[in-house]
Amino acid sequence: MSPYRIVIGGDAYATDDTAALREDFRRRYGTDSFEAELADFIAEWLAPDPLLKVHTSGSTGTPKELWVEKERMVNSARLTLGFLHLQPGDTALLCMPLRYIAGKMVVIRSLVGGLDLLPVPPCGHPLAGLERAPHFAALVPMQVFNTLQVPEEAALLRQVRHLIIGGGAIPPDMAAALHGFPHAVWSTYGMTETLSHIALRRLNGPEASDWYTPLADVRIRLSAERTLIIAAPAVCAEELTTNDIAELDGQGRFRILGRKDNTLNTGGVKVQIEQVEEALRPLLPFPFFITAAPDPKFGDRIVLLAEGDSLPPVGLLAEAFAQLPPYWRPRQTVCTPRLPYTGTGKPDRAKARELARASIDRKTD
């Protein structure tokens, strides 16, 4: 007897006949539908092969393929199910691409925990077609931002009993909007190599914090370069040294200051991209990234990549930049119709650099 339960939209399916599930979903939703892709993944998961292929998001470089052990993915699912106290029959919203670990793990948590999976094709408004809020939802910040702009969707979001947000930083305005939610809202920390998150921090209520609490049996420490080292034997066979610059407290928690590969060296001064973005976010009323382009004098030239069809007003930028330390101030502003994101909704830092460099090269031709 299979240890898993397949429940999708309230309907239970036999775990020993995935061919019937795939045929049923193709007939009901179409061969190219998200639901058909879900049925294919469930069949792949239940196949006897002990390994599963996953893809990294490629937020700072070229996406990679990894083969991971299904047993460790089950361990990861159980860690989350236990931490959030999810129970069989709870509904779980699936609105993440199944190509990446975040989407795969929503499905595996549902199969392992007997959750009722609610598939919604990945989009910017995943709650738009729902009549009732799911018990559990995993969203990226972009989806949360969009949902909060629509009153009906925001009302459903407030009813989600276990909301986790991952794949990017939580802007201060979003954190403020979520702070009064009646049920637990969590920011997650993790990556493909750790099979989704290994730590969470509360975004709302009296327990709200900037510090991440590791899941059970996860140990952390810092490298000589102050990057986070993770020991999570249940999900990863070896210690993992990350590119995330972190700080530890005396309670076994940590907070992320930025990524090592997002550190710019401008005129001999190291500047963390994320810290500049955080300082500018309340000052600029449009979406933007901080990135860099090569500079013959300074090494890295800090660039503001602004979303829009034309450059923002010079006065607005000057007033905002004046509130930054001198070495944090962007030396150039580049506009782009749409900021680049990866398939998982993270800022595509490599593409942002390309856009900045290409724009500056055109101006100097």
Side-chain angles (χ1 to χ4, degrees):
M1 182 177 177
S2 172
Y4 308 117
R5 292 185 63 229
I6 305 176
V7 184
I8 304 174
D11 296 326
Y13 296 85
T15 57
D16 59 352
D17 193 1
T18 55
L21 172 65
R22 297 169 75 179
E23 180 181 351
D24 180 42
F25 274 34
R26 278 167 168 71
R27 177 179 53 81
R28 291 168 61 185
Y29 303 107
T31 56
D32 296 327
S33 65
F34 182 61
E35 289 81 0
E37 185 182 359
L38 169 61
D40 288 343
F41 173 66
I42 291 175
E44 182 183 12
W45 172 256
L46 293 176
D49 192 330
L51 301 179
L52 193 73
K53 183 167 66 176
V54 299
H55 298 82
T56 63
S57 63
S59 57
T60 58
T62 304
K64 298 181 297 183
E65 290 183 352
L66 299 175
W67 288 93
V68 299
E69 299 172 66
K70 290 179 179 177
E71 181 180 357
R72 294 188 184 279
M73 299 176 83
V74 171
N75 292 341
S76 173
R78 287 174 174 158
L79 286 174
T80 299
L81 292 166
F83 188 95
L84 299 178
H85 306 292
L86 294 170
Q87 302 297 317
D90 285 350
T91 50
L93 179 66
L94 170 65
C95 58
M96 302 281 197
L98 287 168
R99 175 181 176 86
Y100 301 109
I101 192 67
K104 284 178 166 60
M105 286 308 305
V106 172
V107 179
I108 295 167
R109 291 177 200 124
S110 299
L111 298 177
V112 171
L115 309 182
D116 183 356
L117 195 61
L118 306 177
V120 171
C123 63
H125 291 268
L127 301 184
L130 301 184
E131 296 181 358
R132 182 177 302 176
H135 292 96
F136 168 70
L139 306 180
V140 298
M142 177 271 292
Q143 291 173 317
V144 175
F145 176 85
N146 291 342
T147 298
L148 290 172
Q149 310 312 304
V150 182
E152 296 81 5
E153 297 174 26
L156 278 179
L157 192 66
R158 287 182 60 88
Q159 297 173 36
V160 175
R161 290 192 173 273
H162 307 279
L163 174 61
I164 64 175
I165 307 170
I170 309 296
D173 288 351
M174 182 182 296
L178 296 168
H179 192 271
F181 271 38
H183 306 297
V185 183
W186 303 90
S187 171
T188 67
Y189 176 85
M191 58 207 70
T192 305
E193 291 83 354
T194 60
L195 308 180
S196 189
H197 53 261
I198 52 86
L200 298 96
R201 67 179 179 92
R202 277 289 292 266
L203 293 174
N204 67 322
E207 300 174 29
S209 174
D210 292 332
W211 298 85
Y212 286 95
T213 298
L215 299 179
D217 299 323
V218 174
R219 300 185 306 278
I220 55 169
R221 59 189 179 90
L222 297 182
S223 71
E225 297 179 297
R226 296 191 304 122
T227 56
L228 193 69
I229 299 177
I230 300 169
V235 299
C236 190
E238 300 177 352
E239 276 193 338
L240 180 65
T241 300
T242 74
N243 282 323
D244 292 316
I245 300 172
E247 180 181 1
L248 307 184
D249 71 358
Q251 303 175 46
R253 304 181 303 173
F254 66 91
R255 62 179 177 182
I256 300 299
L257 304 179
R259 284 185 63 87
K260 178 182 173 183
D261 43 15
N262 287 344
T263 301
L264 309 180
N265 191 323
T266 178
V269 177
K270 291 184 178 180
V271 176
Q272 199 68 42
I273 281 178
E274 295 90 344
Q275 291 181 316
V276 181
E277 288 178 340
E278 184 176 353
L280 283 176
R281 196 165 282 118
L283 306 176
L284 298 178
F286 53 83
F288 67 89
F289 292 161
I290 291 296
T291 187
D295 188 282
K297 178 179 179 181
F298 292 96
D300 283 329
R301 178 189 308 182
I302 299 180
V303 176
L304 179 81
L305 186 64
E307 185 170 277
D309 297 323
S310 59
L311 290 174
V314 174
L316 172 67
L317 295 178
E319 184 177 348
F321 295 169
Q323 300 189 46
L324 300 176
Y327 278 95
W328 286 23
R329 295 171 187 169
R331 299 181 58 81
Q332 197 150 355
T333 300
V334 171
C335 63
T336 180
R338 188 176 298 275
L339 293 174
Y341 290 90
T342 68
T344 57
K346 298 179 182 178
D348 190 330
R349 299 295 186 182
K351 183 63 175 177
R353 276 183 175 262
E354 291 177 12
L355 291 172
R357 183 171 57 247
S359 177
I360 290 171
D361 286 347
R362 285 196 299 270
K363 292 176 182 178
T364 57
D365 286 345

